[in-house]
Amino acid sequence: MIIPTKDGYDNIERCMDSLIGKTQYANYEVLIVDNGSRNPAMKNLYARYKERLGDRFRVLELDIPFNFSRINNLAAKEARGEYLLFLNDDTQVISPLWMTRMVSFAQLQRIGVVGAKLYYPVNTIQHAGIVLGLGGVAGHIMVGTPRTHLGYFGRLIENVNYYAVQRVDSDRILRRA
C-alpha cells in the first residue's frame, strides 16, 4: 500500500488504525510517502506503526513540490510487493475482506487494474468505476448516489468491468473522509 501524506496526522492515524484493525489479509506492506511534513508529531506516529507492523511499515520521505503522480511513481519504485495499492490518507477500511477481494481479482491475467467502491461519510458513493467520456475525458460513475442504491441492472452491487478499472464490490469496502 502506498499512502501519500503531508502533515496528515489525523488522516494517517484513522487510515492506519482501520487498516490494521479491520484488514484480514495479512500479506501487505504499508509505504507512507511523507511529502515534507512539518508537524513533529508525525515522526512519533510513524514510530508507533513501525512498532506494530515491523518491516511491513516504512516511510519514504520526499520533500519535493507536490505532484501526486510523481510522488506515487517514486514510491512505486520503492515498494517491495507484487501488487501496488494506492490509497489516499483519508481512506478508512470498513470491511475485513476488502484486500482479499481486490487481490483475488488482481491475480487474474485478464485484469490490469482493480478498484474498490468508495463511500463518503454521508453514505453516498464517491467512486464506483470510471467510464470514458463522462465529464470530458473520463469520470466516476454514480457519484452522490445513496450507498444502498442497486444501480442500473444491479451494477452497484456486482463486480463490474469498466474501461479504466475493475471495480470490486464487497459491500462496505472503504470509505473516504
Side-chain angles (χ1 to χ4, degrees), residues 108-177:
L108 298 174
Q109 197 70 16
R110 71 182 193 276
I111 294 179
V113 177
V114 178
K117 183 164 47 169
L118 302 175
Y119 303 110
Y120 289 118
V122 294
N123 285 319
T124 60
I125 293 173
Q126 187 265 336
H127 180 281
I130 299 172
V131 295
L132 301 178
L134 181 63
V137 177
H140 298 181
I141 65 159
M142 307 302 286
V143 174
T145 302
R147 178 181 182 162
T148 56
H149 194 275
L150 300 179
Y152 183 69
F153 285 97
R155 287 186 150 216
L156 289 176
I157 60 170
E158 294 293 331
N159 300 316
V160 180
N161 286 322
Y162 288 102
Y163 291 114
V165 67
Q166 163 74 30
R167 187 204 26 94
V168 176
D169 179 36
S170 69
D171 191 26
R172 301 182 193 97
I173 292 180
L174 302 170
R175 180 176 68 212
R176 297 253 340 256

Side-chain angles (χ1 to χ4, degrees), residues 50-81:
K50 179 71 174 171
E51 186 176 316
R52 287 176 79 179
L53 294 176
D55 290 338
R56 295 188 309 145
F57 182 85
R58 295 186 296 137
V59 177
L60 174 62
E61 294 186 20
L62 288 177
D63 194 0
I64 61 175
F66 179 77
N67 179 316
F68 191 72
S69 298
R70 183 167 186 236
I71 289 167
N72 279 297
N73 285 329
L74 291 170
K77 292 179 183 177
E78 300 295 323
R80 298 181 187 140

Side-chain angles (χ1 to χ4, degrees), residues 2-53:
I2 295 173
I3 308 172
T5 194
K6 180 176 182 174
D7 291 319
Y9 187 96
D10 292 338
N11 283 345
I12 289 293
E13 185 176 48
R14 183 174 39 256
C15 179
M16 288 299 301
D17 286 349
S18 73
L19 282 170
I20 294 168
K22 294 186 180 170
T23 303
Q24 286 185 0
Y25 191 88
N27 188 20
Y28 65 85
E29 164 195 61
V30 176
L31 181 57
I32 300 288
V33 189
D34 191 301
N35 187 219
S37 289
R38 303 290 181 244
N39 180 352
M42 296 300 288
K43 299 270 187 210
N44 293 333
L45 183 66
Y46 298 152
R48 187 171 63 177
Y49 293 117
K50 179 71 174 171
E51 186 176 316
R52 287 176 79 179
L53 294 176

